[in-house]
């Protein structure tokens, strides 16, 4: 289950890595006006949902420590707080701010004007690309545990 989840995360990371710079450079907007903007909105909402649930998934995923698989919820929490938690929460929070920006723009409030100037902050979402290194570690663990090192070639 976790491998499939991580593969979905990898797909969303690649989508963000491609779509986010393009949308910032050419000032593409999320919305329901055109098919392209609707696509950006759907990808953004799926990404927001996925990364929000990913925080819960990480709190329920064992990890290896000195060659042993750790199942203790307390140890998992400590490990997650020391590794990815702050980055995950910061990026998801920025996504919720972006969602608030979209809703405020839709309502034409003065908050929308302020939030529109913060659009460049969305580029911080690309920090998630660092998680690709974690996916590589996962693939190496699978290869080593199954005795199929040729997978990594």
């Amino acid at each position: 289950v976790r491998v499939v989840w991580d593969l979905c995360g990898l797909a969303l990371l690649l989508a963000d890595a491609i779509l986010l710079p393009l949308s910032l450079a050419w000032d593409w907007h999320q919305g329901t006006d055109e098919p392209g903007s609707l696509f950006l909105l759907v990808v953004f909402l799926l990404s927001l949902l996925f990364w929000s649930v990913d925080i819960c998934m990480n709190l329920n995923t064992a990890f290896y420590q000195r060659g042993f698989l750790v199942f203790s919820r307390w140890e998992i929490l400590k490990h997650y707080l020391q590794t990815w938690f702050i980055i995950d929460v910061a990026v998801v929070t920025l996504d919720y701010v972006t969602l608030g920006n979209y809703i405020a723009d839709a309502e034409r409030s003065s908050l929308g004007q302020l939030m529109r100037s913060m659009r460049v902050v969305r580029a911080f979402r690309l920090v998630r690309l660092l998680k690709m290194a974690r996916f590589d570690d996962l693939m190496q663990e699978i290869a080593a545990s199954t005795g199929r090192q040729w997978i990594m070639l």
Side-chain angles (χ1 to χ4, degrees):
V1 172
R2 186 62 200 203
V3 173
V4 173
W5 185 261
D6 285 341
L7 286 173
C8 291
L10 181 64
L12 284 172
L13 285 173
L14 291 175
D16 266 353
I18 294 168
L19 294 175
L20 188 60
L22 290 175
S23 68
L24 289 173
W26 279 279
D27 202 30
W28 295 344
H29 295 284
Q30 301 165 348
T32 57
D33 311 352
E34 308 166 6
S37 61
L38 180 62
F39 175 74
L40 287 175
L41 180 62
V42 169
V43 169
F44 171 74
L45 292 174
L46 284 174
S47 177
L48 179 60
L49 177 66
F50 179 88
W51 295 114
S52 297
V53 173
D54 186 61
I55 292 173
C56 297
M57 289 286 289
N58 286 324
L59 289 171
N60 291 294
T61 302
F63 66 97
Y64 283 98
Q65 186 175 37
R66 293 186 205 105
F68 295 100
L69 194 58
V70 177
F71 290 103
S72 166
R73 290 211 183 262
W74 176 248
E75 292 297 321
I76 291 170
L77 175 64
K78 281 189 347 187
H79 182 259
Y80 187 42
L81 288 174
Q82 293 171 352
T83 55
W84 288 100
F85 180 77
I86 292 173
I87 293 173
D88 287 347
V89 169
V91 173
V92 168
T93 300
L94 285 174
D95 284 349
Y96 279 109
V97 167
T98 302
L99 180 62
N101 180 21
Y102 175 74
I103 292 169
D105 278 348
E107 296 174 356
R108 305 275 189 242
S109 72
S110 61
L111 178 63
Q113 297 294 332
L114 172 66
M115 298 303 286
R116 192 175 305 117
S117 65
M118 295 179 55
R119 282 184 38 148
V120 176
V121 176
R122 289 185 348 192
F124 187 67
R125 286 170 49 193
L126 293 178
V127 170
R128 287 189 184 124
L129 291 174
L130 295 173
K131 285 200 168 198
M132 291 178 104
R134 190 174 82 182
F135 181 75
D136 184 50
D137 292 342
L138 175 71
M139 290 303 293
Q140 288 179 8
E141 282 180 26
I142 291 171
S145 67
T146 59
R148 292 179 172 82
Q149 285 78 8
W150 57 269
I151 291 174
M152 299 313 297
L153 296 178

